[in-house]
Amino acid sequence: MSDDRETKPFKFVTAGFDARFPNQNQTKHCWQNYVDYHKCILAKGEDFAPCRQFFLAYRSLCPSAWCERWDDQREKGTFPTRLDQ
Amino acid sequence: MLNLLSLSFLSSCDSPRPWGLYFQDSATPQMEGLVELHDNIMFYLVIILFGSPISHKYLNHALILILIAFPSFKLLYLMDEVSDPAIYQYPDFLNTEDEFIEFDSYLVPESDLEEGALRMLEVDNRVIIPELTHVRFIITAADVIHSFACPALGIKCDAYPGRLNQVSVLINREGVFYGLTEQWPKL
Amino acid sequence: MPIKPITGMLRRSLVLDISVAFGLGTSFGYLFWYGYHVPAVRKRDLYYSKLEDQRAANAAA
């Protein structure tokens, strides 16, 4: 442990309980929020504030490896869901 | 030997002990429920244990096994109840600049263990979790099926690649809880 | 003198076996319950009440 550690202020955010996903299996919870976020920013733009809740939810639920993979797929256009409708 | 046995049987704590015969100390309501259920069932099982060598000729103890299944189901469904995680979820706290906490935690290899450390349980980066807060673990695996379990917290969950499992706990005291885990460290 | 016919053997062994089995079983069951479970619960509750007091003291301080 280094002594010159930097302490940053944090506001803690995570996805709450969602009635659509009451199960132990949260895979779709993560996926749905990822899709919703990207649909949202496509429709409304990056700065549209309400999109942020989807962002926070998917960032806290999805493993980062999954997000990276989906980001790659979106870039290549092989993402399995249409985000523009 | 006797000393060791009595030590392990009577003094439970947050980690496994040599010759441990009973649960580790519970730290969550789930685990308390589990211990309570275990003791209740044990009462009837002790009756069967001492009674059946004599009475097996006349009685069928399967009935008792059916009866103890019901409180077991009740507990099982209560434990699966998903509680709303308060505000925390550990590895992915986001601050306003979208930075988030992410870290790896691996088992300390046997050759690096210090004196008194627990083999196959000590990790190099402990997860710190708030007490008296609803905490959710999201569990997945990267390669094959693993499992995430923490006896003192009363949770055990399979970890599958491509699937996110959640378990929620409410820890009601401080402690270092060791999990028997072979998991990808996305707790 | 004719001996009395031997009757009631089945009933006798039945009553004896079952009562011995259940007597033994329940006594060991209660031994476990009051010898182990109840003290363990008491110890746990004592610990938690102590912890609760400490938390209250910390919150007051």
Side-chain angles (χ1 to χ4, degrees):
Chain A
M1 293 270 172
S2 59
D3 290 336
D4 47 86
R5 252 190 303 179
E6 196 188 348
T7 333
K8 286 183 177 171
F10 261 109
K11 186 167 172 282
F12 299 122
V13 183
T14 189
F17 176 75
D18 191 327
R20 289 174 298 173
F21 309 101
N23 307 316
Q24 189 183 41
N25 186 353
Q26 294 289 303
T27 320
K28 282 274 183 164
H29 195 175
C30 145
W31 162 257
Q32 192 63 53
N33 276 298
Y34 184 88
V35 171
D36 283 349
Y37 174 69
H38 287 97
K39 275 185 179 171
C40 184
I41 56 167
L42 262 179
K44 300 283 185 180
E46 289 265 3
D47 299 326
F48 191 61
C51 293
R52 193 147 170 87
Q53 80 173 80
F54 299 124
F55 178 73
L56 294 173
Y58 96 74
R59 272 322 265 278
S60 61
L61 284 168
C62 301
S64 34
W66 293 17
C67 295
E68 279 160 27
R69 182 157 169 246
W70 291 337
D71 288 343
D72 284 351
Q73 288 182 339
R74 277 189 305 113
E75 266 165 41
K76 283 192 227 127
T78 53
F79 195 65
T81 300
R82 286 194 61 178
L83 297 169
D84 54 355
Q85 59 180 15
Chain B
M1 167 73 192
L2 205 73
N3 186 28
L4 192 72
L5 205 114
S6 71
L7 183 91
S8 57
F9 187 57
L10 298 174
S11 71
S12 26
C13 64
D14 296 339
S15 58
R17 319 219 67 197
W19 289 88
L21 294 178
Y22 200 68
F23 296 111
Q24 297 174 22
D25 279 350
S26 62
T28 58
Q30 279 113 305
M31 195 57 199
E32 245 128 64
L34 284 173
V35 172
E36 187 76 28
L37 178 75
H38 167 270
D39 283 4
N40 274 308
I41 289 174
M42 272 306 281
F43 177 78
Y44 296 105
L45 288 190
V46 167
I47 294 181
I48 296 176
L49 177 72
F50 285 93
S52 69
I54 306 166
S55 66
H56 70 273
K57 287 178 272 183
Y58 318 111
L59 299 172
N60 186 351
H61 293 289
L63 184 68
I64 296 181
L65 296 183
I66 292 165
L67 286 180
I68 59 184
F70 286 95
S72 175
F73 290 146
K74 188 175 138 194
L75 185 67
L76 195 64
Y77 291 122
L78 273 175
M79 280 171 61
D80 263 356
E81 194 68 36
V82 177
S83 49
D84 202 359
I87 34 173
Y88 299 94
Q89 195 207 17
Y90 200 86
D92 295 287
F93 292 148
L94 282 161
N95 68 1
T96 38
E97 286 122 52
D98 289 353
E99 293 173 309
F100 64 114
I101 303 178
E102 186 177 27
F103 62 91
D104 293 341
S105 175
Y106 291 101
L107 277 179
V108 177
E110 222 165 310
S111 49
D112 296 354
L113 281 181
E114 287 168 28
E115 196 77 26
L118 296 158
R119 188 183 76 97
M120 302 295 280
L121 288 175
E122 213 72 58
V123 293
D124 53 10
N125 218 342
R126 285 177 179 166
V127 180
I128 299 162
I129 288 170
E131 63 171 3
L132 297 177
T133 310
H134 287 292
V135 178
R136 171 177 56 198
F137 293 96
I138 301 276
I139 296 152
T140 185
D143 42 12
V144 294
I145 299 175
H146 291 278
S147 159
F148 173 68
C150 190
L153 307 184
I155 54 175
K156 175 179 273 183
C157 187
D158 283 344
Y160 294 90
R163 177 182 164 129
L164 305 174
N165 278 335
Q166 76 170 355
V167 283
S168 40
V169 290
L170 182 117
I171 300 168
N172 45 24
R173 63 181 174 83
E174 284 176 51
V176 178
F177 309 113
Y178 290 97
L180 308 161
T181 115
E182 275 197 334
Q183 94 281 22
W184 196 49
K186 166 97 183 183
L187 293 181
Chain C
M1 171 178 144
I3 51 166
K4 266 200 301 185
I6 302 167
T7 56
M9 282 307 276
L10 180 70
R11 178 209 292 268
R12 215 175 82 104
S13 63
L14 213 101
V15 168
L16 186 74
D17 280 0
I18 290 181
S19 58
V20 164
F22 271 95
L24 226 82
T26 11
S27 51
F28 275 98
Y30 276 105
L31 196 74
F32 165 75
W33 191 256
Y34 289 102
Y36 181 76
H37 174 76
V38 172
V41 167
R42 194 175 299 137
K43 208 171 116 195
R44 186 193 72 198
D45 288 349
L46 207 70
Y47 174 77
Y48 276 120
S49 63
K50 210 174 76 194
L51 199 70
E52 212 47 54
D53 290 346
Q54 209 180 341
R55 276 196 193 119
N58 284 351

